Amino acid sequence: MLSPAATVTLRVNGRETTVEARPCTPLLHVLRNDLALNGPKFGCGLGECGACAVLIDGRVARSCTVPLHRAVGRDITTLEGLGSLAAPHPVQAAFIEQQAAQCGYCLNGMIMATVALLSRNPDPDDAAIRHALRHHLCRCGTHVEILNAVRAAARRLRPATGPENVGSPP
């Protein structure tokens, strides 16, 4: 028997919002259908492709497999919560700069996984990058550009502490 719909308050992209849904509803469905956030994509519905990735309390999560009730009281960040068209997040800007998209379906997951990686490891080597992205599928073959984008994002986010920046204003 399905549980009845309930009023649920979520914290998405820094704002509290209330939705009416069954507690077992996948978070992805609420994000896309109720909140009109289309960064996370429906890919496989099984948590295997990464297209639906979001950050929950700063960690990558497959929103297609997270029941709504597990997201209550947690900080949920979608692609839309990272930056804007006018002011993209440094990871988004690096992916654009490196032309790391072909069809773009995987990009949501790749970007969210990169943000999570760089928050815990600001200077990842190629092995760490590949490990962080290993469960995010890209069928178009932009793998080299994606690796370049992650490296570029790491450079963008790294504090300027080299000798050439000594004495320069913050």
Side-chain angles (χ1 to χ4, degrees):
M1 179 174 163
L2 289 175
S3 59
T7 301
V8 177
T9 301
L10 298 172
R11 193 170 38 256
V12 180
N13 297 331
R15 285 189 245 143
E16 295 225 341
T17 187
T18 303
V19 296
E20 185 82 17
R22 289 189 170 104
C24 61
T25 302
L27 177 61
L28 174 64
H29 295 261
V30 171
L31 294 173
R32 291 185 61 84
N33 301 337
D34 297 309
L35 303 180
L37 296 169
N38 294 314
K41 307 286 186 244
F42 182 88
C44 64
L46 302 170
E48 294 180 4
C49 73
C52 68
V54 297
L55 299 178
I56 297 180
D57 295 335
R59 300 190 68 187
V60 179
R62 308 304 170 113
S63 64
C64 72
T65 63
V66 175
L68 184 59
H69 69 89
R70 294 256 170 115
V72 173
R74 317 237 347 245
D75 286 313
I76 303 160
T77 306
T78 68
L79 189 66
E80 294 88 348
L82 294 179
S84 67
L85 196 54
H89 184 279
V91 172
Q92 292 169 314
F95 272 72
I96 293 166
E97 171 189 287
Q98 296 297 318
Q99 298 181 5
Q102 194 164 13
C103 84
Y105 212 78
C106 72
L107 274 195
N108 174 75
M110 296 289 188
I111 289 171
M112 301 311 283
T114 298
V115 169
L117 167 66
L118 296 179
S119 72
R120 67 180 185 275
N121 180 356
D123 191 20
D125 60 16
D126 283 355
I129 295 169
R130 289 176 190 276
H131 182 76
L133 300 180
R134 74 190 181 286
H135 295 298
H136 295 269
L137 304 180
C138 172
R139 297 185 187 274
C140 295
T142 61
H143 302 107
V144 171
E145 291 83 359
I146 290 168
L147 290 172
N148 289 340
V150 176
R151 289 187 211 104
R155 286 190 302 275
R156 284 174 180 266
L157 290 167
R158 207 171 292 135
T161 58
E164 65 279 359
N165 296 312
V166 173
S168 59

